Amino acid sequence: MIDFDNQTVRLIKYIRRQKNATATLTDIQLYSDKATRKKEDISFLLICLVQEGYLLAIQKGDCVRFEEKPYITSPYTRFWVTPRGRKLVEDRFSDFWRFMIPTLISVAALIISALK
């Protein structure tokens, strides 16, 4: 089970927004340098996401599940977001707004009642 922090969700969103909804390991590492993650950490995280079914990895035309050790990735390994990964991002987005809308309404009601 993976705990999804904001950086992990941003990583999945980044892959999802790329052309054809795919990104190479090199592209992801360049993005992660900006997000202050180490290259070793990002490779391990991507392998875990593939094993859990949130991403799909393709190397040399073959789908890779990373079931057998050693886990080998190349700079040209391509990653796609699976429907399970898309659902994760969409659920996080809807949960955020499901919380924010009632909160904003409550704050507005408090301000209006305080002004009267």
Side-chain angles (χ1 to χ4, degrees):
M1 177 94 191
I2 299 175
D3 291 325
F4 292 98
D5 59 351
N6 288 334
Q7 285 184 341
T8 304
V9 174
R10 282 189 204 124
L11 176 68
I12 295 172
K13 283 182 188 178
Y14 170 77
I15 296 170
R16 186 175 165 205
R17 283 191 304 250
Q18 296 307 304
K19 184 177 180 182
N20 298 327
T22 181
T24 64
L25 180 61
T26 306
D27 296 336
I28 296 168
Q29 286 175 338
L30 289 173
Y31 169 77
S32 68
D33 286 345
K34 296 174 189 171
T36 65
R37 279 198 189 231
K38 296 179 184 173
K39 290 184 180 183
E40 300 83 26
D41 293 344
I42 200 70
S43 295
F44 180 71
L45 176 63
L46 290 169
I47 289 169
C48 289
L49 289 170
V50 168
Q51 289 174 336
E52 293 289 327
Y54 293 99
L55 295 178
L56 176 69
I58 303 287
Q59 286 182 349
K60 298 178 185 174
D62 295 327
C63 181
V64 181
R65 297 285 303 156
F66 298 111
E67 294 173 347
E68 300 173 1
K69 292 182 181 177
Y71 304 130
I72 299 171
T73 58
S74 73
Y76 305 107
T77 303
R78 299 195 75 76
F79 293 92
W80 277 269
V81 178
T82 63
R84 185 176 181 189
R86 272 189 244 118
K87 183 177 181 331
L88 170 80
V89 171
E90 291 166 1
D91 287 349
R92 292 276 296 236
F93 180 78
S94 65
D95 288 347
F96 173 77
W97 285 110
R98 200 173 299 141
F99 169 77
M100 286 304 294
I101 290 173
T103 303
L104 293 174
I105 292 170
S106 298
V107 168
L110 283 171
I111 291 172
I112 290 171
S113 67
L115 293 175
K116 287 186 177 185

